[in-house]
Amino acid sequence: MDSKTISPSSHISYKDLPALIGWFNLSIAFIGRFPFAMNIIGVLTLITIVTNSISTAAIASAIQAASTGIGNIVQGRIADRHGQKIPLLILSPINFCAIISIIICSYLSTPSVVFFALCAILGFTTAPLGAFARVRWYSLTHNNTQLSTALSYETTADELTFVFGPALVGILASLVSPVLPLIVTALIVITCVIPFALAFNPSPHLTSAKSVSSPGFVIICQKVCGTLLAMLGLGMFFGAMQTSTTALALAFQIPKSAGLIYAHLGLGAAITALAAVYLPKRLSLTARISGGGVLASLGALSCILSDNPWVLAGCLLGTGLAIGPASVAIFELTGRRAPQGGGTTAITALGAMNVLGVSGSVLITGQIVAKVAQNGFYIAFTAALILAVGGLISAIQERSTHSEN
């Protein structure tokens, strides 16, 4: 895979993308990724309210995130070898049933272990729609400018879903019912994810230059190990921030508003993700990753001082501003370094590292915030530094590659 750094001129051609894929396909690809952004915090919010235990909810959410990471890698490998339609059409109906089962169990005196099992199934069957959508552009675009613009759009779309997804969870849970966000995601699976599978099915091994065989998983990971570590740190950061925000919302006696408050982090990230195309080219992708990690770590520390929801929301918004360019850079750099025939695997591996980071961080942070809510932000501080280190390792990889060439 090979993507170029996006320039302002290519940013203008966003308007050309619907002509390449059609408004319907563009719309279902965007809406269809909302379950990925909504389900983890939706489950966290629902189980927190049902059990009145942030610790139990954190374990369930961590299991879901971990199984999502594993499932994403499996689906990515299948898609690289056999196409996207097979994993999507087989697993999406199971995903729908898992969501409905969690909703039903929330009304019953259900043991925690049942929630844990359902969350594992839910996570494993969650479609990595953002990654799949990125790969489709390789057969739809006609030149590098269009491809770069399409990949930039996909990153921005991911950021926007992580803004509006948690916000939608917060609004629906607080104004109507904590089960409504999961009802919405179940409907999206039926109306968007399955149609996405049927709308367009790229051939296996689809990259900017077609390859005969898919490279080994270890080889792919070696090529992108720096960005994988960076994404692991980013996932850990999101998990710690999400769990800490949920714990503080519970302490503020507004647990249903946790998603709405947390959405400010994604809002800040979306703003700077859109603006990332205007950053000077001399600011390398690796520098954006490391710089974003350092700034995010400082933002996490500022959240410790939050003593009311408004201050917390403001701190989250400011912290999110550091994340946008780093997130865009991670995807761009991975696309540039991934070997031919391993495009889908590399991108889904990024998603897997993200949710695995979320799961581990949620599990650890959930136990810490059960005692003092603000202490969870120290985990976020550490995670942001891991993000920065991933950027440094990527820079070393880049220099090594250039010296070899």
Side-chain angles (χ1 to χ4, degrees):
M1 297 172 67
D2 182 34
S3 59
K4 307 297 182 183
T5 302
I6 300 167
S7 65
S9 60
S10 64
H11 173 73
I12 295 173
S13 62
Y14 277 152
K15 66 180 183 297
D16 298 327
L17 298 181
L20 295 174
I21 194 171
W23 278 108
F24 175 75
N25 291 333
L26 199 66
S27 299
I28 61 173
F30 176 72
I31 299 172
R33 70 189 76 195
F34 268 80
F36 196 98
M38 292 175 63
N39 277 339
I40 291 180
I41 194 166
V43 167
L44 186 66
T45 301
L46 176 61
I47 298 180
T48 297
I49 294 171
V50 170
T51 65
N52 199 33
S53 170
I54 184 66
S55 179
T56 300
I59 293 173
S61 191
I63 291 172
Q64 179 189 344
S67 61
T68 300
I70 296 170
N72 278 193
I73 293 175
V74 172
Q75 292 183 61
R77 291 300 282 169
I78 294 173
D80 266 335
R81 294 177 176 178
H82 306 290
Q84 298 178 5
K85 186 178 295 186
I86 291 177
L88 288 175
L89 292 183
I90 292 175
L91 296 180
S92 293
I94 300 174
N95 185 257
F96 172 82
C97 293
I99 298 172
I100 298 301
S101 297
I102 291 174
I103 293 172
I104 294 172
C105 288
S106 69
Y107 288 102
L108 307 173
S109 299
T110 304
S112 298
V113 67
V114 176
F115 278 120
F116 298 161
L118 289 173
C119 285
I121 297 172
L122 171 61
F124 188 84
T125 57
T126 296
L129 222 65
F132 282 2
R134 281 180 173 84
V135 173
R136 293 184 175 193
W137 287 111
Y138 285 90
S139 68
L140 294 171
T141 52
H142 303 108
N143 53 58
N144 285 337
T145 298
Q146 288 183 341
L147 177 60
S148 295
T149 303
L151 296 180
S152 176
Y153 160 77
E154 292 297 336
T155 299
T156 303
D158 282 343
E159 296 293 348
L160 290 175
T161 57
F162 278 100
V163 172
F164 295 112
L168 191 58
V169 170
I171 293 171
L172 297 178
S174 59
L175 296 183
V176 185
S177 168
V179 302
L180 187 55
L182 294 185
I183 294 175
V184 170
T185 61
L187 292 175
I188 290 174
V189 170
I190 296 298
T191 60
C192 293
V193 177
I194 293 178
F196 176 90
L198 298 172
F200 174 71
N201 192 38
S203 301
H205 318 314
L206 189 58
T207 62
S208 56
K210 293 186 178 180
S211 58
V212 175
S213 62
S214 177
F217 182 70
V218 174
I219 294 176
I220 296 172
C221 290
Q222 287 176 342
K223 290 287 187 179
V224 297
C225 65
T227 52
L228 288 178
L229 179 62
M231 187 57 83
L232 176 68
L234 188 59
M236 292 174 62
F237 180 81
F238 285 143
M241 296 294 281
Q242 178 176 294
T243 308
S244 301
T245 299
T246 302
L248 275 179
L250 185 63
F252 295 148
Q253 298 183 338
I254 50 172
K256 295 180 181 180
S257 298
L260 191 58
I261 298 172
Y262 177 71
H264 288 78
L265 181 72
L267 177 60
I271 292 171
T272 49
L274 285 169
V277 295
Y278 297 109
L279 290 174
K281 291 184 178 180
R282 64 177 178 274
L283 185 61
S284 67
L285 296 177
T286 56
R288 298 178 195 187
I289 296 171
S290 294
V294 172
L295 293 174
S297 69
L298 298 177
L301 293 180
S302 72
C303 293
I304 297 174
L305 304 176
S306 304
D307 57 0
N308 66 70
W310 299 104
V311 173
L312 177 59
C315 290
L316 289 171
L317 178 64
T319 303
L321 295 174
I323 297 299
S327 180
V328 172
I330 289 172
F331 279 107
E332 277 207 57
L333 196 55
T334 302
R336 177 183 297 175
R337 293 191 57 82
Q340 294 178 3
T344 307
T345 300
I347 297 299
T348 52
L350 275 185
M353 293 303 286
N354 185 288
V355 294
L356 287 173
V358 169
S359 66
S361 181
V362 164
L363 187 60
I364 296 170
T365 309
Q367 310 312 309
I368 292 175
V369 298
K371 297 179 179 179
V372 181
Q374 285 88 345
N375 284 352
F377 292 114
Y378 289 112
I379 303 297
F381 169 80
T382 304
L385 294 182
I386 294 175
L387 167 62
V389 171
L392 290 176
I393 293 176
S394 296
I396 294 172
Q397 284 185 301
E398 288 282 277
R399 294 192 187 98
S400 176
T401 300
H402 290 155
S403 63
E404 291 175 0
N405 295 334

